[in-house]
Every structure is written in structure tokens, then in C-alpha cells.
Amino acid sequence: MISKGIGRQIVLHYFIVVFMTLLLVEIIFMFAIRTYYYDSVYSHIANHAAMVTDNYNNTNTENTESENLKYYRDILNRFALASTELQVLNRKGDVLITNSSFQPDQPVQTSDLTQALTNNIGKWIGREPGTGEMVMAVSSPIQVMGENKYVIRYITSMEPINSKLLNITLLAALVGVVILAVVLLFSMGLANSIVKPINNIRAVSAQLARGKFDVRVKGEYKYELGELASTLNYMAQEIVRGNQIKDDFISSISHELRTPLTGIKGWSETLTSGGFDPEETKIGMQIIAKETDRLIGLVEEMLDFSKLQQNEMKLVIGHVNLKEILQETMLNVWAKAEQKRIKIKLDEHTEKTVMVLGDGNRLKQVFLNLVDNAIKFSTEESWIHLDISVKDEWAVVEVIDSGIGISEEHLRRVKDRFFQVNHQGGGTGLGLAISQQLVELHNGDMEMRSELGVGTTVSVRLPLLDELNKEEDELSVM
């Protein structure tokens, strides 16, 4: 017995569909077979009846009673059929003569007689009043002096044919039962092939819901079930990866927050104790201010990432001059680059001003992050080039450094959130992830190319501001 569930529904629906189809086919088949047999019998008898009519029609004189008797017997002798009773009737339905040993005492009143008297070959199927036997009667008129005077009537039993039809029906029913049994077994196998993987996937899902993220759906499943199993396994991997990222983030951010907080707390306690000259107090306050700015930067970075993840980042869109943005970026990082004696240079491969449509502050945040990373992972007395060019309908900005580079293994993951190539370098591992998403919000893309020990190139592509927008902006200003 199949338990309740999708398996039972599959078996039940298959069984009902096939059962109804077989029932309809068998009804049509039996009706066709019955019609064929009955029509064959009727055609055979009707042909003989037509022959009698052709031979004895249009008699121009009335015969005497003895001549009529001879006339009737001649019909019986010449046109009798095996296993068929042949009768000669008058217009009233009285049986004048029959080749049967049983002489009816009641006139015939069936519909075939009425049809025959209207110059048609009549047919009647029903039960014989005396015996209750199923018979077919076929009647045809005989004209005398242009009038339907007599009717010949063939009567044959349909019981042998009905018996044969019953045997065919039973055989068809048996075949139908066999087919239904095969369909039942097939549908049970089909149901199991679907239900077992679903039960397996359901069991794995239940374990995942209980926090066992190391379980996986095992087995190779096809089609949608295979896609479902792969999706569930992928989801489990992402959950594990997400948990690992979360743990790494907590560890990283804890470290990043502890360092400035330790400095702030230490200098606060030191300054509170007093006894320092103004110069030492100034140094302590500078350190507190610097570490506070660092804390603010970390918090703002996490807030930006949170907004991006929740699609709540709002851009203030306007016309942005990329050259000006890069020049401001160079000024902001100049002091940091000067400490490592790194030279930063801006290269332009186009004479015209490169304008894009976007949020100037957010684009500046992107380039500040890229240049800051380039400085962080470059050796002393190296160089960083900022390059602007136009390719087709895109503005391309490249940040090229001659730093330590990134290995191929790390390059594939470097833009993932919370990922850090060097954990000793500080930071939350969110900078590149935020930059990537900000560029995508501007309908652009960001690519990274790097070779370990040679340097790294980061390319940012942004859609150019078309000339029509430029002209409209100039007119609005005027």
C-alpha cells in the first residue's frame, strides 16, 4: 500500500487516466464490433431478400390458392438460408407459410413489416415474444399488379453472435485488466523514482534547518530534481561560506576596532593622570584624533556595505569630470604616498574632458580606495599611474601600480566581501567589494589584472556622458 503523499497522487492520477482511456477505447471497440457483426448479418439477409423481390415482383395476375401455395413453397425452396427462418406474410402480418416447424398463431406486428409495405427493406431487432430469444428480422415486399401484396420475412437468431461478442468483451476486459496492472506497477516505479529523491532532499533540508550544514544531497538525479539537489547543496556551501566569512569578519573587525580603541583608552588614561608638558599632551591628543578618525572610517565602511547589501544606497546623480575626481584623489593620498616615497602620476590619452553621469562623491570613494590599496601594497620608492582613456562609448580609468602583486589564487577572490590577501595589512576586507558594487550602480564594471611580484592594474569602465545630455545641461545653465 502506498502511503499518503505525492507518490499516491502520481499512481492515482496515472491509474485514473489510463482506466478512463481504456474504458472509452473498449466501449468504442465493442460498439464497432457489434455494429460490424450486426451489419454483416443484415447485409447478407437483405441481399437474399432483394433477390426474392427481383424474381417475384410485378406479377400481373392474381393466382389461385393452390397456385399461391406452390408460389410460396417455391420461395422457401429457392431462397431459404441456413439457420434462418423464412416466412411469407400478407399485408395484415399473417404468416401464410414458413419453413419453420412452428406456425405462429398471431399476426406479425413488428416495425420491419411496416417498413416493407412502404417499398423498403425493413429491419427489426428484438426478442421473440414466444421464446424471448434475441432475433433479427428482415422483410421485403412482393408486388402483385403494382401493389405490395405479400412480404417475405427472414428471421435469424442473434444469440450466437451475442455469445461471440460476450467472449470478445471478456477478452478485451482481461486485456484491459492486464494493462491496468502493468500501468499500476509502472506508475508505482515512477512514483518511487520521484518520491525517493524528494524524501532524500527533504531529509537533508530538515538537517540543514537544524543547523547541520555539513550534510549534502547524495546521488545523481536528473532534470528538475537534479537541479533542486544541486541548488540545495550550493545553498549549504554558501551558508558554510557565509558563516566562515562572518567569523572572519568578527575576528577581523574585532582586531581593527581593538587597535584604535586601545590607543584612545591608553592615551586618555595617561592624559587624565596629568603631569605632562604641552608637547606630550598635543601628541597624545593627535593620536586620539587619528584613531578616532580611523574608527569613524571603519564604521562608515560597514554602513556603506550594509546599505549596498540592502539596496538602500542613494546616489546623487550629476555630471562628473573624471580628471577632477582623480586630481582630488591624488591630493588626498599625497601625504600617505610621500611617507613611502611613492610617485603618483596622472596620464591622459584624450584631449577632451571625459565626463560621466554619476555620483561624484561615490566615484571619488571608489578611486580613493583603489589608490589607497595600491599605496598599501606597493614597496617604497615605487610608482603608481592613474590613466584616463576613451574606448568606444566608455570612459576607462586604470590604476596601475608596481607593487607586490596578487597571486592567481587570491585574484579570483580579492573582490569578495571580507576577504583579505594580507591580514596583517589591516582593514575589514570590504573596500574592493564596496567599490565593485558602487561601480555597478553606475552601470559600469571593474576588472583586476595582476602578476605576483610585478604589480596590479585595476580597470574601471563607466558609460560616457553622451553629447545630447551635455548640450541640454549647457542650455539649462544659460
Side-chain angles (χ1 to χ4, degrees):
M1 187 67 182
I2 302 175
S3 58
K4 290 184 179 180
I6 190 172
R8 176 182 288 187
Q9 293 298 315
I10 291 172
V11 172
L12 185 62
H13 283 89
Y14 262 92
F15 188 83
I16 290 175
V17 169
V18 175
F19 173 76
M20 295 303 296
T21 303
L22 281 175
L23 182 62
L24 181 61
V25 169
E26 292 207 6
I27 290 173
I28 295 173
F29 172 73
M30 293 312 303
F31 178 78
I33 290 294
R34 182 183 183 279
T35 303
Y36 170 76
Y37 274 101
Y38 274 46
D39 287 351
S40 297
V41 172
Y42 170 73
S43 298
H44 181 62
I45 296 176
N47 289 336
H48 279 75
M51 291 172 60
V52 175
T53 300
D54 292 340
N55 279 273
Y56 292 94
N57 259 350
N58 300 322
T59 303
N60 295 322
T61 59
E62 284 281 357
N63 296 325
T64 63
E65 188 174 342
S66 61
E67 288 175 337
N68 282 339
L69 183 61
K70 181 181 178 182
Y71 179 73
Y72 303 151
R73 286 177 178 170
D74 182 60
I75 292 175
L76 297 181
N77 292 332
R78 290 181 61 186
F79 297 99
L81 293 173
S83 304
T84 303
E85 181 182 356
L86 176 57
Q87 299 173 340
V88 179
L89 288 69
N90 60 18
R91 291 180 59 85
K92 296 179 180 179
D94 298 323
V95 179
L96 303 177
I97 189 171
T98 178
N99 61 356
S100 171
S101 58
F102 175 74
Q103 181 70 30
D105 56 358
Q106 297 290 332
V108 175
Q109 297 180 342
T110 53
S111 60
D112 60 302
L113 177 62
T114 306
Q115 295 172 28
L117 291 175
T118 58
N119 289 326
N120 294 317
I121 295 179
K123 180 177 74 169
W124 174 77
I125 299 174
R127 294 195 178 276
E128 194 70 42
T131 61
E133 183 181 17
M134 181 67 72
V135 297
M136 177 187 287
V138 179
S139 299
S140 182
I142 296 177
Q143 293 182 353
V144 176
M145 299 179 67
E147 182 184 357
N148 293 336
K149 197 77 174 179
Y150 304 103
V151 174
I152 61 164
R153 188 170 187 254
Y154 287 95
I155 305 172
T156 184
S157 174
M158 302 304 291
E159 294 298 334
I161 291 178
N162 289 341
S163 177
K164 186 178 292 185
L165 290 173
L166 178 61
N167 292 335
I168 294 174
T169 302
L170 293 175
L171 179 61
L174 179 61
V175 172
V177 170
V178 172
I179 292 174
L180 285 175
V182 172
V183 168
L184 183 62
L185 293 174
F186 173 78
S187 59
M188 289 175 66
L190 177 63
N192 286 332
S193 69
I194 296 174
V195 172
K196 284 184 178 178
I198 290 177
N199 287 337
N200 186 18
I201 293 171
R202 184 179 62 181
V204 172
S205 301
Q207 293 185 65
L208 289 174
R210 290 193 294 269
K212 296 181 180 179
F213 301 121
D214 58 335
V215 295
R216 297 291 183 272
V217 178
K218 297 180 180 179
E220 295 293 330
Y221 303 127
K222 295 181 179 179
Y223 312 120
E224 286 83 356
L225 287 175
E227 293 177 5
L228 179 61
S230 299
T231 302
L232 191 63
N233 287 339
Y234 176 75
M235 183 184 72
Q237 291 173 0
E238 286 299 302
I239 291 173
V240 172
R241 182 168 171 267
N243 285 340
Q244 184 60 48
I245 289 174
K246 179 189 69 176
D247 294 340
D248 291 345
F249 171 70
I250 292 173
S251 175
S252 174
I253 201 67
S254 298
H255 174 75
E256 290 300 317
L257 292 174
R258 184 186 295 114
T259 302
L261 287 173
T262 301
I264 292 171
K265 185 175 185 297
W267 274 101
S268 298
E269 291 175 349
T270 301
L271 292 174
T272 302
S273 62
F276 292 95
D277 59 39
E279 188 63 30
E280 289 177 333
T281 302
K282 183 180 178 181
I283 293 172
M285 294 302 295
Q286 288 175 344
I287 292 174
I288 290 174
K290 181 180 177 181
E291 297 300 330
T292 302
D293 290 339
R294 185 176 172 186
L295 280 175
I296 292 172
L298 289 171
V299 172
E300 287 181 348
E301 193 172 65
M302 287 186 290
L303 285 174
D304 285 344
F305 180 76
S306 177
K307 288 180 181 178
L308 287 168
Q309 292 300 106
Q310 298 175 23
N311 295 320
E312 293 181 354
M313 177 67 73
K314 304 297 182 183
L315 299 180
V316 181
I317 301 299
H319 295 179
V320 179
N321 186 329
L322 287 181
K323 182 178 179 181
E324 291 180 358
I325 293 293
L326 292 177
Q327 287 173 338
E328 291 175 7
T329 301
M330 292 171 62
L331 290 174
N332 287 345
V333 299
W334 176 82
K336 189 174 183 179
E338 190 67 21
Q339 291 177 359
K340 298 179 71 173
R341 297 186 295 280
I342 296 174
K343 294 181 180 180
I344 303 178
K345 181 181 178 182
L346 176 61
D347 297 326
E348 290 185 82
H349 293 284
T350 176
E351 295 180 356
K352 63 180 181 179
T353 302
V354 181
M355 301 291 293
V356 297
L357 197 65
D359 187 327
N361 288 329
R362 292 301 179 182
L363 288 176
K364 183 178 178 181
Q365 180 182 347
V366 170
F367 296 124
L368 272 173
N369 183 68
L370 297 180
V371 176
D372 185 70
N373 280 346
I375 295 171
K376 186 186 298 182
F377 297 106
S378 291
T379 58
E380 292 186 357
E381 298 184 354
S382 59
W383 53 264
I384 297 172
H385 285 187
L386 307 182
D387 185 273
I388 304 176
S389 61
V390 174
K391 296 180 181 178
D392 298 327
E393 297 180 356
W394 296 90
V396 181
V397 177
E398 292 185 328
V399 179
I400 308 167
D401 67 61
S402 57
I404 61 175
I406 306 171
S407 67
E408 186 176 348
E409 176 188 358
H410 288 153
L411 189 62
R412 291 193 296 267
R413 300 184 55 199
V414 73
K415 289 188 285 187
D416 291 350
R417 54 187 180 179
F418 309 125
F419 179 79
Q420 298 183 70
V421 175
N422 181 8
H423 291 279
Q424 304 302 320
T428 61
L430 292 174
L432 286 177
I434 292 173
S435 299
Q436 172 81 15
Q437 290 183 277
L438 286 174
V439 172
E440 290 175 354
L441 282 177
H442 285 82
N443 300 316
D445 58 66
M446 187 173 78
E447 295 181 355
M448 296 187 69
R449 303 185 301 276
S450 184
E451 186 176 347
L452 199 61
V454 176
T456 303
T457 299
V458 183
S459 298
V460 175
R461 292 201 318 160
L462 297 168
L464 276 174
L465 183 65
D466 57 63
E467 295 299 326
L468 180 62
N469 285 336
K470 284 184 182 180
E471 291 174 4
E472 289 178 352
D473 184 61
E474 290 173 359
L475 288 173
S476 63
V477 172
M478 293 174 64

